[in-house]
């Protein structure tokens, strides 16, 4: 076994080294993510040494000095250089600096701001020009991604890059209500977003399961509604400043009128049913909803939103508005009487009445409204922004009616879809027939990380690296759509993201180690590397009733949303079946590995009962790999099999499609392809 492992490791290193070398030869200019609008390779090298220094000219916002200093420190960390310059300040204005930044004006965080930049890297000088410091910050990220090595050390390829975003709203939503995410989780994700040129972090701050921001006017909201897990106002200010320094807006969401149980633990008088209320511990859509027919609701929300409007500086304020099932409105006699008296026929119409009153409150506090697509009802003014989660059609309908909109449908990263699916989902698809004046209402999109099934340990692995591909969709020209090339660059970016503290790689080993009772993780890793959590909402419908108290430490929680080994393996199968025999050895290698992993993993499982739930899947992996090896042999020898052989193998395949522990084997369909490619007598 030992021999085998050594072979495996060298084989893997060989493959990684080969792809790394290829990437190096190809020039790191081809590895950028998001792909810039225009890159001209000047085929030379700018050498990095300790004399490297940065100067800033023009009239930028002060955020540029922090951003330039951070880049300097990243370069220092990557290269081990002790640069002569320690940090960049507003006195860094030397004409002889090797890296010169010039910004015309301070950038303002909000809609319709200039974010373009140009980067001119020549053998002895780098010029970064931008209209605003926000654009310059994007240019710094591009430069950082270009650090390269050759036999003589570190260098940057010479190039001219002219770049600007395709969409102005390039967002990520993090739900901190279902599972609270502390400040350090938010900050490392802000850093990762900035690296990918994203510019909006939307925080889902209240829901049935928790109220997550301190109110000084109503401290009881978090006292009774948060289990002590919430952001203080000082922490919120800290997050906002941290994001601002990186060119990122913070959009707060307080979800009303539904998704609101946690408010009613301390304020049952504002609800539509009598209560009392407790923090909700289960997941799903629940009945509690604000009573929109009493003035107390509006008085309370006026005070609370007024307080939050001062805390959160962004012009936009998200009121949620999704999934109000209307049941508690239907069951309340005085609400029904109010509707009758005011000729309000439906729950949707009552919610529109509520939204219009909320809009007045927000306007009074100098905010614009954004909400999920349910808020788009007749009579709403068209200065609101619609976040489309139920379908692209809602976005296009809103845009046609003159509403600004952003797309989240197709970017629900909590649903464990492959990166390619999200990547090809486009706020304005290539075949769109929308007229230009409608297209301009589509501001961009947001990936949404709902947090029922994640904790601070594994949330990064759900967000990254897939969201890097989404960030590219929002930034790069619409013609950038090559899925294979995206996956190639994504693997590189995934490692680079670690430099910003994201934990998607390092926490994987940690979680596997805990699962093995701190034994050797290698067999478990070989297995978990090729499984994924079940897709969509299926995890809630397989007999396990998850709550906020459930363990999120099982194999399914360690497994990545997308197995990159499966992505490669499927590619090997396709190439092999096209007649490219070079891939035969790779297929044999992987399937042998999976066959031989079975007894090793059995040994690990004996020592760790938490792993018993995946034991049948481990056996299935062995069985289908053996079948796949037979198929490769038969195809290679151009031999036929009989119908019984096929039936027997398909039985194994169908068995292997069954999920265990809410996870599924990923390469089943690729091995099925191999089996079905065998000629039958
Ligand atoms: C949502 O997913 N309910 C916006």
């Amino acid at each position: 076994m030992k021999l085998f492992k050594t072979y495996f490791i060298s084989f893997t290193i060989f493959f990684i080294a080969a792809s790394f070398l290829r990437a190096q030869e190809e020039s790191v200019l081809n590895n950028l993510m998001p792909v810039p609008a225009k890159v001209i390779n000047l085929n030379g090298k700018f050498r990095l040494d300790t004399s490297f220094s940065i100067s800033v000219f023009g009239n930028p916002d002060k955020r540029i000095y922090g951003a330039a200093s951070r880049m300097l420190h990243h370069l220092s960390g990557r290269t081990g250089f002790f640069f002569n310059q320690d940090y960049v300040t507003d006195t860094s204005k030397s004409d002889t600096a090797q890296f010169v930044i010039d910004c015309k004006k301070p950038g303002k965080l909000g809609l319709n701001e200039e974010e373009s930049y140009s980067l001119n890297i020549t053998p002895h000088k780098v010029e970064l020009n931008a209209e605003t410091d926000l654009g310059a910050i994007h240019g710094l990220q591009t430069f950082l991604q270009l650090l390269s090595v050759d036999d003589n050390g570190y260098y940057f390829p010479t190039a001219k890059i002219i770049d600007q975003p395709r969409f102005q709203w390039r967002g990520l939503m993090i739900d901190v209500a279902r599972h609270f995410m502390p400040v350090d989780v938010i900050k490392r994700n802000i850093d990762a977003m900035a690296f990918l040129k994203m510019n909006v972090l939307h925080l889902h701050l209240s829901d049935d399961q928790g109220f997550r921001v301190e109110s000084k006017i109503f401290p009881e909201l978090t006292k009774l509604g948060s289990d002590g897990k919430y952001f203080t106002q000082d922490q919120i200010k800290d997050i906002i400043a941290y994001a601002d320094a990186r060119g990122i807006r913070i959009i707060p969401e307080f979800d009303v009128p539904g998704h609101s149980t946690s408010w009613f633990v301390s304020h049952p008088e504002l609800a539509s049913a009598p209560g009392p209320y407790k923090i909700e511990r289960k997941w799903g859509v629940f009945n509690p909803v604000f009573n929109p027919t009493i003035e107390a609701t509006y008085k309370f929300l006026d005070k609370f939103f007024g307080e939050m409007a001062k805390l959160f500086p962004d012009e936009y304020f998200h009121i949620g508005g999704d999934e109000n099932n209307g049941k508690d409105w239907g069951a309340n006699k005085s609400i029904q009487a109010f509707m009758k008296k005011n000729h309000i026929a439906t729950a949707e119409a009552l919610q529109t009445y509520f939204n219009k009153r909320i809009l007045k409150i927000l306007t009074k506090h100098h905010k614009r409204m954004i909400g999920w697509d349910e808020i788009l009802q007749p009579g709403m003014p068209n200065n609101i922004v619609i976040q489309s989660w139920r379908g692209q059609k809602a976005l296009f309908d809103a845009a046609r009616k003159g509403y600004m909109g952003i797309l989240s449908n197709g970017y629900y990263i909590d649903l464990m879809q492959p990166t390619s699916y999200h990547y090809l989902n486009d706020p304005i698809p290539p075949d769109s027939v929308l007229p230009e004046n409608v297209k301009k209402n589509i501001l961009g999109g947001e990936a949404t990380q709902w947090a029922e099934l994640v904790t601070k340990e594994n949330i990064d692995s759900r967000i990254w690296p897939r969201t890097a591909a989404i960030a590219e969709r929002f930034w790069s020209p619409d013609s950038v759509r090559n899925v294979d090339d995206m996956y190639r660059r994504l693997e590189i970016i995934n490692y680079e993201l670690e430099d910003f503290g994201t934990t998607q790689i390092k926490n994987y080993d940690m979680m596997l180690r805990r699962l093995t009772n701190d034994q050797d993780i290698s067999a478990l890793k070989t297995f978990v590397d090729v499984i994924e959590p079940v897709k969509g909402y299926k995890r809630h419908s397989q007999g396990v009733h998850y709550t906020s108290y459930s363990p999120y430490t099982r194999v399914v929680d360690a497994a990545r949303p997308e197995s990159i080994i499966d992505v490669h393996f499927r590619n090997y199968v396709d190439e092999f079946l096209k007649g490219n025999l070079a891939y035969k050895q790779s297929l044999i290698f992987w399937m042998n590995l999976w066959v031989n992993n079975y007894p090793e993993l059995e040994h690990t499982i004996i020592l760790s009962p938490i792993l018993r739930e995946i034991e049948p899947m481990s056996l299935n992996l062995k069985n289908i790999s053996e079948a796949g090896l037979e198929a490769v042999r038969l195809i290679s020898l151009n031999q036929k099999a009989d119908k019984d052989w096929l039936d027997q193998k398909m039985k194994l395949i169908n068995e292997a499609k069954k999920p265990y522990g809410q996870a599924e084997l990923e390469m089943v369909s690729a091995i099925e392809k191999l089996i079905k490619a065998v000629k039958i007598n």
Side-chain angles (χ1 to χ4, degrees):
M1 225 50 237
K2 183 130 194 356
L3 237 180
F4 178 75
K5 279 227 174 92
T6 316
Y7 171 63
F8 165 57
I9 290 164
S10 4
F11 198 87
T12 309
I13 288 172
F14 166 75
F15 263 91
I16 292 169
S19 54
F20 183 70
L21 280 175
R22 202 168 51 242
Q24 289 293 304
E25 280 160 21
E26 268 181 8
S27 169
V28 70
L29 285 164
N30 297 327
N31 296 349
L32 290 169
M33 187 171 252
V35 168
K38 188 166 186 183
V39 178
I40 301 165
N41 187 346
L42 300 176
N43 298 309
K45 291 179 180 181
F46 170 96
R47 281 275 151 218
L48 188 67
D49 59 33
T50 56
S51 70
F52 182 77
S53 66
I54 304 178
S55 279
V56 182
F57 294 93
N59 178 32
D61 183 274
K62 64 179 184 329
R63 63 168 83 80
I64 193 65
Y65 306 110
S69 299
R70 281 193 298 279
M71 188 191 73
L72 194 66
H73 299 150
H74 270 287
L75 291 179
S76 169
R78 287 228 145 204
T79 59
F81 287 149
F82 294 70
F83 292 124
N84 298 337
Q85 185 181 24
D86 288 333
Y87 43 83
V88 184
T89 72
D90 57 1
T91 61
S92 310
K93 289 193 191 305
S94 161
D95 280 337
T96 58
Q98 292 177 2
F99 192 110
V100 173
I101 302 170
D102 198 341
C103 307
K104 291 206 175 63
K105 61 174 195 207
K108 134 188 115 34
L109 286 183
L111 290 187
N112 303 316
E113 184 52 297
E114 178 59 59
E115 293 182 276
S116 65
Y117 69 92
S118 72
L119 190 57
N120 198 15
I121 309 172
T122 64
H124 300 291
K125 189 124 192 145
V126 182
E127 290 166 348
L128 172 57
N129 291 309
E131 195 69 20
T132 68
D133 47 277
L134 299 172
I137 288 175
H138 298 314
L140 292 171
Q141 304 292 6
T142 301
F143 187 70
L144 196 54
Q145 287 191 16
L146 288 175
L147 181 65
S148 309
V149 289
D150 64 10
D151 290 348
N152 296 320
Y154 295 99
Y155 74 93
F156 291 86
T158 57
K160 186 159 181 64
I161 296 175
I162 298 167
D163 201 9
Q164 76 270 330
R166 178 172 168 222
F167 291 109
Q168 58 171 313
W169 194 300
R170 305 179 302 280
L172 167 66
M173 187 216 75
I174 298 182
D175 168 11
V176 297
R178 270 52 175 269
H179 276 102
F180 182 61
M181 298 294 157
V183 174
D184 61 335
V185 176
I186 302 300
K187 284 189 173 176
R188 69 189 186 223
N189 278 285
I190 287 173
D191 276 314
M193 289 172 70
F195 189 52
L196 276 308
K197 302 184 172 66
M198 299 179 86
N199 66 349
V200 179
L201 175 61
H202 161 182
L203 294 174
H204 182 77
L205 292 164
S206 68
D207 213 301
D208 299 301
Q209 297 82 1
F211 195 95
R212 305 299 183 197
V213 181
E214 173 193 24
S215 165
K216 304 231 193 238
I217 305 176
F218 303 110
E220 63 278 10
L221 283 169
T222 49
K223 186 154 186 241
L224 298 178
S226 77
D227 299 312
K229 293 175 182 164
Y230 65 93
F231 298 120
T232 64
Q233 293 203 358
D234 281 345
Q235 286 176 322
I236 290 288
K237 286 177 194 162
D238 182 34
I239 289 170
I240 290 167
Y242 194 86
D244 182 298
R246 287 152 182 81
I248 292 175
R249 303 163 55 194
I250 299 286
I251 304 283
E253 177 187 352
F254 295 95
D255 203 345
V256 289
H259 282 284
S260 48
T261 308
S262 65
W263 307 63
F264 304 143
V265 185
S266 57
H267 286 275
E269 76 282 4
L270 304 177
S272 302
Y277 290 86
K278 290 195 304 236
I279 295 175
E280 182 58 62
R281 306 296 176 185
K282 297 195 286 298
W283 312 129
V285 175
F286 300 96
N287 300 345
V289 58
F290 275 88
N291 184 340
T293 68
I294 55 174
E295 286 311 301
T297 292
Y298 301 104
K299 273 199 192 125
F300 175 89
L301 289 176
D302 183 15
K303 281 195 193 148
F304 177 73
F305 285 164
E307 183 186 14
M308 293 301 123
K310 287 200 188 82
L311 183 61
F312 291 92
D314 201 89
E315 189 182 8
Y316 281 87
F317 198 94
H318 203 303
I319 60 138
D322 56 321
E323 295 183 309
N324 166 23
N325 65 20
K327 285 187 185 162
D328 281 2
W329 287 351
N332 179 318
K333 286 204 175 72
S334 78
I335 293 177
Q336 290 302 306
F338 178 93
M339 289 172 72
K340 210 170 197 172
K341 183 166 158 231
N342 292 284
H343 310 291
I344 297 172
T346 62
E348 287 78 23
L350 184 58
Q351 188 163 337
T352 301
Y353 166 83
F354 172 81
N355 286 344
K356 283 185 181 163
R357 301 234 10 210
I358 297 299
L359 183 65
K360 263 198 197 133
I361 290 172
L362 291 184
T363 307
K364 177 177 132 191
H365 296 296
H366 312 291
K367 295 293 179 190
R368 289 176 187 261
M369 182 188 279
I370 169 169
W372 300 104
D373 52 53
E374 284 95 330
I375 72 165
L376 181 57
Q377 289 289 334
M380 289 302 281
N382 63 8
N383 63 1
I384 61 175
V385 172
I386 305 299
Q387 181 162 14
S388 168
W389 72 281
R390 292 182 296 181
Q392 280 207 329
K393 189 174 173 300
L395 177 71
F396 302 152
D397 287 350
R400 274 199 201 90
K401 289 180 185 149
Y403 292 90
M404 291 180 288
I406 59 173
L407 182 66
S408 279
N409 180 265
Y411 302 124
Y412 265 46
I413 49 178
D414 60 317
L415 301 187
M416 307 289 159
Q417 307 282 3
T419 315
S420 53
Y421 163 78
H422 297 304
Y423 187 61
L424 295 176
N425 185 55
D426 196 327
I428 305 179
D431 58 357
S432 171
V433 293
L434 292 177
E436 285 309 312
N437 67 328
V438 173
K439 281 184 186 167
K440 79 169 180 11
N441 290 332
I442 297 174
L443 305 178
E446 264 186 22
T448 50
Q449 180 54 57
W450 298 102
E452 286 92 341
L453 301 174
V454 294
T455 67
K456 61 184 180 180
E457 269 179 15
N458 67 351
I459 187 169
D460 295 8
S461 75
R462 275 61 188 133
I463 300 176
W464 309 107
R466 289 178 305 156
T467 299
I470 298 174
E472 176 158 288
R473 176 60 46 235
F474 297 157
W475 178 280
S476 301
D478 59 355
S479 56
V480 177
R481 300 178 71 78
N482 182 323
V483 169
D484 290 342
D485 191 58
M486 176 275 289
Y487 275 113
R488 179 186 68 78
R489 290 176 292 117
L490 194 68
E491 284 187 68
I492 300 166
I493 285 293
N494 194 29
Y495 289 113
E496 292 182 355
L497 280 168
E498 285 211 296
D499 236 12
F500 299 95
T502 61
T503 60
Q504 72 275 19
I505 301 173
K506 65 183 174 195
N507 278 11
Y508 182 57
D509 277 17
M510 181 275 288
M511 293 180 82
L512 296 185
R513 224 167 11 250
R514 185 172 51 209
L515 281 165
T516 60
N517 252 338
D518 303 329
Q519 306 297 311
D520 180 8
I521 64 168
S522 51
L524 183 62
K525 196 169 182 171
T526 298
F527 174 77
V528 184
D529 272 353
V530 293
I531 68 169
E532 293 172 11
V534 291
K535 309 292 158 195
Y537 295 104
K538 274 195 275 181
R539 209 172 145 179
H540 297 287
S541 61
Q542 297 191 335
V544 180
H545 300 288
Y546 289 102
T547 71
S548 47
Y549 295 129
S550 303
Y552 294 94
T553 51
R554 294 157 58 230
V555 168
V556 61
D557 302 299
R560 276 85 168 240
E562 181 170 39
S563 158
I564 196 67
I565 289 177
D566 176 55
V567 172
H568 288 302
F569 186 78
R570 272 185 283 130
N571 187 24
Y572 300 158
V573 167
D574 288 343
E575 290 296 327
F576 172 72
L577 292 179
K578 274 192 243 160
N580 193 342
L581 290 184
Y583 288 87
K584 178 177 153 187
Q585 286 313 317
S586 303
L587 291 179
I588 291 173
F589 166 77
W590 282 108
M591 289 188 287
N592 264 327
L593 177 71
W594 296 328
V595 170
N596 292 317
N597 195 58
Y598 174 70
E600 295 244 331
L601 185 53
E602 279 293 287
H603 187 66
T604 312
I605 293 171
I606 288 167
L607 298 173
S608 196
I610 192 173
L611 295 175
R612 280 185 198 146
E613 63 181 351
I614 50 96
E615 198 171 9
M617 203 162 26
S618 174
L619 179 61
N620 285 342
L621 176 60
K622 168 179 171 285
N623 289 342
I624 61 169
S625 299
E626 283 169 349
L629 286 165
E630 280 182 42
V632 168
R633 189 175 56 81
L634 291 166
I635 294 166
S636 305
L637 297 172
N638 205 15
Q639 285 182 358
K640 290 184 177 168
D642 56 28
K643 179 83 174 40
D644 279 353
W645 180 90
L646 181 64
D647 290 347
Q648 204 188 22
K649 302 305 166 200
M650 283 311 295
K651 231 166 124 181
L652 296 175
I653 289 289
N654 290 330
E655 178 59 32
K657 285 181 181 171
K658 287 187 196 155
Y660 288 89
Q662 297 85 60
E664 58 194 26
L665 278 174
E666 283 316 308
M667 80 306 295
V668 186
S669 58
I671 294 183
E672 181 177 3
K673 246 191 203 175
L674 283 174
I675 288 166
K676 286 186 171 164
V678 173
K679 294 202 184 94
I680 302 298
N681 277 322

